[in-house]
Amino acid sequence: LFWFITAATVFLLLTSIGSYKTYHYSESVQFCGQACHTPMKPEYTAYLLSAHARVDCVACHVGSGADAYVKAKLNGMHQLMGVIKGDYQRPIKTPIRNLRPAQETCEQCHWPQKFDGNLDRTYAHFLADETNTPFSVRLLLKVGGGDGEHGRAEGIHWHMNIANKIEYIASDEKRQVIPWVRMTDKTGKVTEFRVAGFTNDLAKAALRRMDCMDCHNRPAHQYHAPNDSVDMAMSTGKIETTLPWIKSNAVTVLTASYSTEDEALSKISATLRAQYGTYSKLDSLVSAVQGIYTNNFFPEMKVSWSAYPDNLGHKNSEGCFRCHDGKHKSTDPAMKMISATDCNSCHLILAQGSGADLEKLNAKGNTFFHVDSPNEDFSCAECHNGALIK
């Protein structure tokens, strides 16, 4: 009896320790990102390079509480079978339908009532010509925010003003086509906006209330567009801007079709070495372009920037212009339509161009100068798609 009790006690102790260790391992970043290597490789790679790299995966994808843990593990069994059978989606579909609400995840760290005001940002770009002509844009982003007590309710974060409620209907799975929007202000007044031809029965439509994830839809798993990635590498000196046609050639070799990562890296190296064989820092150039590829392209999973539109902005995908396109009209005379493509609505263009032009700041904002002519009446994504101009 003594030895039985001793053995049972030791067994229960080891079981408790094992269960505790197993629980924590199954909640770890390594388990989430590396246990299912092939399907999770794109997400894990992007996560390590994101602003949320020090936030555990489960903080957003599971959340706190026993109920959330049990639901996540039951869903994980389904995912495990998919990995074993090899019938998982390529690429994994988004948005994730069972993701915890932003109020239970994002807002545990980010305070909705915070007033951010205006942010000064300079975006460096290079044209796809022989001399890689620099063209930068310095913007004053009107982030704004506030709830009336912590700052004026204005700017981009006005959408998250707790006094307002914005709801919408998306006609596609990725929530990129939004034909109907409803706004309820702090007084309870309701205003509806819809595009021409939208006559769907609202009672049968899937209504969603706007939250953080509708704009910040790639907070920890962003795959940067090749155009932007090459611009960044050139502006930081990883790729020399003096190499003729390097912007165009780098983007072209990155966006070519490859079946595997090994094939891509081999052909990127061969192509660049053939084009710039006499360049003294050829190895460095090849390494920089290959690095862009391994961080943002995953051919085995059919993952790249084009598979996941980024709604934070409107340059490479519709983003803001899903609603702010001048086509969502209302019957309310006071609010005829959702504000359209006015460049100064959400940001001011303080300066643009290169050299001395960037020092000519205009506090009232400039008209957007599209390389060779002033132009505001257009949607960026009509021509820009993350690669070279369509």
Side-chain angles (χ1 to χ4, degrees):
L1 181 60
F2 170 78
W3 287 112
F4 173 77
I5 293 175
T6 302
T9 302
V10 172
F11 174 77
L12 290 174
L13 178 62
L14 293 177
T15 301
S16 300
I17 295 174
S19 300
Y20 176 79
K21 293 289 186 181
T22 301
Y23 166 77
H24 277 283
Y25 176 67
S26 66
E27 295 278 277
S28 68
V29 171
Q30 288 71 28
F31 177 80
C32 296
Q34 295 178 312
C36 301
H37 178 69
T38 299
M40 285 295 105
K41 181 181 178 181
E43 282 72 21
Y44 185 60
T45 302
Y47 159 80
L48 293 176
L49 298 172
S50 76
H52 289 84
R54 298 180 67 178
V55 178
D56 290 345
C57 306
V58 294
C60 297
H61 288 273
V62 177
S64 60
D67 290 347
Y69 177 78
V70 172
K71 289 179 181 178
K73 296 313 167 188
L74 290 175
N75 186 52
M77 294 175 63
H78 169 73
Q79 295 171 346
L80 177 61
M81 292 304 298
V83 173
I84 293 174
K85 294 180 180 180
D87 62 354
Y88 48 85
Q89 297 167 336
R90 300 175 179 84
I92 296 173
K93 289 185 178 180
T94 59
I96 301 173
R97 300 298 170 182
N98 61 352
L99 191 66
R100 296 285 292 276
Q103 289 77 11
E104 298 177 20
T105 52
C106 309
E107 293 184 14
Q108 300 306 303
C109 297
H110 301 279
W111 187 31
Q113 288 85 353
K114 180 185 178 185
F115 183 76
D116 289 298
N118 298 328
L119 301 179
D120 190 340
R121 295 287 185 271
T122 299
Y123 299 93
H125 303 290
F126 297 87
L127 305 186
D129 55 19
E130 183 175 4
T131 59
N132 312 298
T133 304
F135 187 89
S136 297
V137 179
R138 184 174 177 180
L139 297 176
L140 190 68
L141 298 175
K142 300 178 181 179
V143 179
D147 62 352
E149 294 183 7
H150 300 87
R152 293 182 60 186
E154 61 182 8
I156 301 168
H157 279 181
W158 171 90
H159 295 83
M160 294 308 299
N161 186 337
I162 60 176
N164 300 318
K165 180 169 71 172
I166 299 177
E167 300 164 297
Y168 69 87
I169 293 172
S171 59
D172 66 323
E173 290 187 353
K174 291 188 175 183
R175 299 174 185 161
Q176 295 301 299
V177 181
I178 301 177
W180 181 90
V181 179
R182 179 169 66 196
M183 183 189 75
T184 306
D185 66 17
K186 60 183 179 182
T187 66
K189 179 183 177 182
V190 177
T191 307
E192 293 185 5
F193 304 87
R194 63 180 68 205
V195 299
F198 180 77
T199 57
N200 297 34
D201 184 357
L202 299 182
K204 298 180 180 179
L207 196 65
R208 174 177 168 81
R209 180 171 180 175
M210 187 176 184
D211 66 17
C212 311
M213 295 298 293
D214 289 298
C215 294
H216 299 268
N217 65 320
R218 308 300 305 172
H221 306 289
Q222 185 177 16
Y223 307 103
H224 297 282
N227 212 357
D228 299 334
S229 297
V230 174
D231 279 341
M232 177 63 74
M234 294 174 69
S235 65
T236 56
K238 292 182 179 179
I239 296 178
E240 286 195 13
T241 60
T242 56
L243 289 171
W245 297 104
I246 188 56
K247 171 64 182 295
S248 175
N249 290 338
V251 174
T252 299
V253 74
L254 284 168
T255 53
S257 178
Y258 307 109
S259 300
T260 65
E261 182 178 294
D262 290 339
E263 177 192 358
L265 298 182
S266 175
K267 289 186 176 180
I268 288 173
S269 176
T271 301
L272 292 177
R273 292 182 187 280
Q275 292 172 334
Y276 301 100
T278 60
Y279 178 50
S280 60
K281 299 179 181 178
L282 186 56
D283 290 341
S284 177
L285 170 64
V286 171
S287 178
V289 178
Q290 287 178 331
I292 292 173
Y293 191 90
T294 56
N295 287 334
N296 298 287
F297 293 80
F298 305 88
E300 290 85 353
M301 283 296 296
K302 296 180 171 49
V303 168
S304 68
W305 93 101
S306 61
Y308 299 110
D310 187 357
N311 295 331
L312 194 62
H314 51 78
K315 179 170 175 283
N316 298 322
S317 57
E318 291 298 330
C320 311
F321 291 166
R322 291 175 299 161
C323 300
H324 293 269
D325 57 358
K327 299 177 182 178
H328 291 71
K329 298 182 179 180
S330 170
T331 56
D332 185 348
M335 300 185 68
K336 295 182 179 180
M337 68 174 68
I338 298 177
S339 60
T341 55
D342 175 11
C343 289
N344 289 333
S345 293
C346 295
H347 49 63
L348 290 177
I349 301 176
L350 299 177
Q352 54 193 327
S354 61
D357 289 336
L358 286 178
E359 299 177 4
K360 300 175 182 177
L361 302 183
N362 184 353
K364 294 183 179 180
N366 295 301
T367 298
F368 179 54
F369 195 84
H370 194 265
V371 183
D372 55 2
S373 62
N375 197 341
E376 283 188 345
D377 188 20
F378 66 98
S379 173
C380 305
E382 291 180 1
C383 297
H384 294 273
N385 62 355
L388 297 179
I389 300 296
K390 294 178 184 177

